[in-house]
Amino acid sequence: MTETFKPADAAQLREVVAWAAAEEIPLDLAGSGTKRGYGRPVQARHAVDLSAISGILAYEPEELILTAAAATPMAEIEAAISAKGQMLAFEPVDLSALLGAAAGGGTIGGALACGISGPRRVKAGAARDHLLGFHAVSGRGEIFKAGSKVVKNVTGYDLPKIFCGSLGTLGAMTEVTVKVLPAPPKARTVLLFGLDVAAAVRAMTDALNSPFEVSGAALLPASIAARSAIDMVRAAGASVVALRIEGTPASVAARCSGLRALLAGRAPDEELHSMRSRRLWVEIRDVGALLPDAAAALWRVSVPPAAAPAITAALPGDWFLDWGGGLIWIAVPPGTEAEATRIRGAVAAAGTGGHATLLRAPASLRAGIDVFHPQPAALARLSARVKESFDPKRILNPGRLYAGV
Amino acid sequence: MLKMPALDEGVLARRDRIVADLRAIVPGEGVIDSEAGRRAYECDALTAYRQMPMVVVLPSTTDQVAQVLRYCRDNGIKVVPRGAGTGLSGSALPLGDGVLLAMGKFNRILEIDYDNRVVVCQPGVTNLGITTAVQGDGFYYAPDPSSQIACTIGGNVAENSGGVHCLKYGVTTNNVLGVELVTIDGEVLRIGGKHLDADAYDLLGVIVGSEGLLGVVTEVTVRILRKPDTARAVLLGFPSVEQGGACVAAIISAGIIPGGMEMMDKPAIVAAEAFVHANYPLDVESLLIVELDGPAAEVEELIGSVEEIARAHGAVYARTSESEEERLRFWAGRKSAFPAVGRIGPDYYCMDGTIPRRRLPEVLRRMYELADSYGLRLANVFHAGDGNLHPLILYDASKPGDTERAESFGADILRLCVEVGGVLTGEHGVGVEKRDLMGAMFGEADLAQQQRLKCAFDPGGLLNPGKVFPVLHRCAELGRMHVRRGELPFPELPRF
């Protein structure tokens, strides 16, 4: 890349994009750039560093909303809202360490543009459920806004949804408004030891289907559990099912005992309290501590939870389950297309839908295979038309999602 | 007078031929062209606007939907999809030269899958029908619009419908995981499914709430939830609207997200009490129903907190439901507020703006000033937790000029919502009702970008034209770029 532009505000960004659109010059967009290794490699002539477009613009805890410039560091957002006892309920994943960047360096815009949600997805919704509105510069070099700054709105198309996970291929967001929610004062984790995959998924399903409001359900196979920094998990010597319960103290205590009674007799169980519970879910959320081989290719597979036992039986490499089985993290040696074929083949063989994304791999591998799940032809054509409706010259992060999109 | 797209005389001249062709696709009674038959479809629940459709088609298979849409595309015929017709914004208002595609025959639940916590169903299944199918096993579908006994899940998807429990459990878009969508090209797309996130572009996210402008949904996969162990409600009365509003803010600031939190102002309280005798206090200016649901231990704890907060904010009436019967009685007044107000109307017009909650006292005061200046009466019910207002304007349609005054008053209310930082519609949709107000909330660039997205799905503009967008532009015109080649301006821009 020959030059990096660093616009100070939306107006300067608009000038850059309008010029690039006129000249048909592709741009590589990034906030702090911690997730640059995610997606297909972008072939861009110039880079745009959005990091100056930063700062919290409005935070109204009692309205449950926060508006910030898009490249505001996530750490700054987390600090502001946790001071008021609130949180981003989708539990943003910090991919920095996985992707070779310093931990905690990401931005709110980056987290939303990647659209990856943490363990609480099963109860509180995904990143896309918490982006209420945004301002952006489209690939046409035009400033536009979408959504709103209130928590309930159905006026016009819900463009915030499609911007989540679009990886900067539709527009460069300059301002985002997100829904913030009260953070639970207390969290505990019920652990079950030694269940096989089928029994573990059964237990997670029964827990998620119970009235005890489980807000995290993961399975760490024995070899993965052994890597945990939490003694009770590391020393298990067996697989570990983790079931999280959050809320007020009295409620958490009552629900934990209710849950243990529901699952009694299936496996030896234990309870993790406060700090140790919190640290375990950070490990599960950010993945790197549990799948630490930095040279491995890392896959993220999203499937109906009940399909997890059949799919994992056919998988190569190390893996663990989040979302009650609905999310499978897999680390494999970065070889060739063979792993992609095998992993996607396992999803297809289960016959119940889902998709597999290559979250981390050397650029050469990401350039050569489908990083995102290949789409049926009609859907791929629609995706390409959607891209063009925002970015007709295909100058914004071209090819990051799909070749040609 | 509502301006709709110009009638296509060419299409109207070919009507008999079109009807015959459609009968070849959907046999028997699935094509309705008689005047009496079409009459039943001339409006949705926004009854002020009526229009006979050119022809009504009731397909019963996805393949028929695909064939009808492809036929309409090939022949340049407009299509208006319709669910149960309970929508309040006129999204399903027919077009005089269009096919009204009524999805009522798609009324089967296809799969109940507890292991994945989803129900797969056809779009004509009613909202309550989903809950009914799973409640025996202790589950339910969370979004609960007031019309849930009649409205369909397909209509909910089109309108992104809400309900009284959506502060805690989300609106339709937060509870739908997948759809089968037929495009105007007749292509059948599966978007999403039983898994929890999108593979690339979250197309599902824009399809939900698109008011029938992007495609026709023929199957829906929704998330179901385990029914909470306990639900109890607290009824709170305040001597002023301000104090009620401050109590709502304080409850949320205390970290409590109630299952439902509804407010009524005095005219609504009086009307509801007279109608259903819910034992509401009549000497208060605002009434709050706060419902706490969840595990029994938690509900117990939170009820204590809410009662304490309410006392600190000047509540002069507080009663907590001691039985399921009493909880339902608290709700009975709120749930019947619309017909209750309708009794003193004789007609009412329901608005649906959302505002930042802290602006409530000011917005209410200005709404009542507007009511005085229009010479019309007003009652307010309000999803207090999320700031979604439902002002009910009382008027008499038999009085000359009253309907127009009510509409004009309603438009002023919605402009006021936008002025204070809110939106035109929180859960009812834009349709034709708020179409011409879109410019109050969105600039031209904002609206053009939304319409370009429509062009990606429907380049011919045949799906539900005349709804949502105040001005129709051709896709070619929207796609044109005015580029000025040359040097990069902003020479001072930092670069490396």
Side-chain angles (χ1 to χ4, degrees), chain A residues 2-8 11-12 14-16 19 21-23 49 60-64 86 115 121-123 126 128-129 138-140 142-159 161-162 164-166 169-170 179 181-182 202 204-205 208-213 246-251 254-255 300 302-307 323-324 326 352-355 357 372-373 375 378-379 381-383 385-387 389-390 392-393 401-402 405, chain B residues 114-117 139 159-160 162-163 166-169 171 173-174 176-177 185 187 189-191 194-206 208-211 213-214 223 226-227 229 249 252-253 255-257 293-295 297-298 301-302 354-358 383 386 388 421-430 438 441-443 445-446 449-454 456-457 468-469 478-481 483-490 492-496:
Chain A
T2 54
E3 253 183 327
T4 296
F5 302 110
K6 189 171 180 181
Q12 286 191 356
R14 194 203 73 79
E15 292 289 340
V16 172
W19 164 78
E23 303 291 333
D49 173 351
E60 298 170 67
E62 69 290 346
E63 301 281 344
L64 304 175
Q86 294 190 327
R121 164 62 182 108
V122 289
K123 176 160 184 283
R128 51 96 86 176
D129 295 306
S138 73
R140 304 169 53 88
E142 293 169 354
I143 292 173
F144 73 100
K145 66 173 186 295
S148 72
K149 294 181 180 178
V150 291
V151 294
K152 194 171 175 196
N153 169 41
V154 297
T155 319
Y157 296 137
D158 196 350
L159 300 187
K161 295 278 181 300
I162 204 165
C164 272
S166 67
T169 61
L170 301 178
K179 182 177 184 178
L181 285 168
R202 184 74 253 157
M204 292 193 285
T205 300
L208 288 164
N209 284 359
S210 80
F212 304 120
E213 300 193 358
E246 299 174 296
T248 58
S251 169
R255 284 148 63 207
R300 185 179 177 276
S302 176
V303 292
W323 296 359
T352 49
H355 52 87
T357 303
F372 295 91
H373 210 85
Q375 294 184 308
L379 203 52
R381 285 196 299 274
L382 178 60
S383 293
R385 293 199 301 272
V386 166
K387 158 79 171 173
S389 73
F390 290 91
K393 304 290 185 189
L401 210 46
Y402 293 107
V405 165
Chain B
Y114 291 120
D115 284 351
N116 290 309
R117 290 170 293 284
F139 287 79
E159 301 297 312
N160 194 8
C166 58
L167 177 66
K168 184 169 177 184
Y169 297 104
V171 295
T173 191
N174 313 114
V176 169
L177 291 178
D185 296 322
E187 283 178 318
L189 307 178
R190 297 201 70 88
I191 296 171
K194 295 178 178 178
H195 50 286
L196 288 168
D197 62 357
D199 51 348
Y201 290 138
D202 188 353
L203 298 170
L204 180 63
V206 292
V208 177
S210 62
E211 305 197 23
L213 272 71
L214 299 184
R223 260 158 86 75
R226 175 65 183 250
K227 209 164 176 295
D229 258 357
I252 287 174
S253 295
I256 301 169
I257 301 292
D293 64 2
E298 181 172 314
E301 196 178 357
L302 295 182
T354 303
I355 58 167
R357 249 183 302 94
R358 69 191 143 74
H383 299 308
D386 46 32
N388 188 194
V423 301
L424 296 172
T425 172
E427 58 181 0
H428 294 171
V430 176
M438 286 288 272
M441 186 169 151
F442 292 114
D446 310 333
Q449 191 53 62
Q450 293 191 29
Q451 286 176 276
R452 284 187 202 105
L453 179 68
K454 171 166 169 73
F457 286 81
V468 182
F469 298 109
L478 287 163
R480 206 171 291 143
M481 273 177 76
V483 295
R484 198 186 27 161
R485 298 175 69 91
E487 284 308 297
L488 176 62
F490 276 112
E492 75 283 12
L493 187 70
R495 60 188 73 183
F496 307 97

Side-chain angles (χ1 to χ4, degrees), chain B residues 146 262-265 267-273 275-276 280 331-344 348 379-382 390 392 394:
Chain B
S146 301
E262 297 289 306
M263 194 190 267
M264 299 163 77
D265 72 359
I269 301 166
V270 170
E273 182 57 26
F275 188 42
V276 296
Y280 287 167
W331 279 109
R334 165 61 186 90
K335 291 205 166 175
S336 65
F338 291 11
V341 167
R343 287 202 325 159
I344 55 174
Y348 71 93
N380 270 289
V381 296
F382 180 36
H390 288 316
L392 302 167
L394 308 181

Side-chain angles (χ1 to χ4, degrees), chain B residues 254-334:
Chain B
I256 301 169
I257 301 292
M261 184 148 57
E262 297 289 306
M263 194 190 267
M264 299 163 77
D265 72 359
K266 185 142 199 178
I269 301 166
V270 170
E273 182 57 26
F275 188 42
V276 296
H277 311 296
N279 290 335
Y280 287 167
L282 293 173
D283 54 350
V284 298
E285 288 299 318
S286 68
L287 191 68
L288 210 53
I289 306 173
V290 185
E291 179 159 296
L292 286 315
D293 64 2
E298 181 172 314
V299 170
E300 202 58 44
E301 196 178 357
L302 295 182
I303 283 204
S305 306
V306 166
E307 286 170 340
E308 200 173 303
I309 292 167
R311 269 195 299 277
H313 285 81
V316 291
Y317 179 92
R319 187 173 170 82
T320 301
S321 67
E322 295 301 336
S323 65
E324 183 64 6
E325 186 201 353
E326 187 170 22
R327 183 183 74 88
L328 294 175
R329 193 164 65 240
F330 287 0
W331 279 109
R334 165 61 186 90

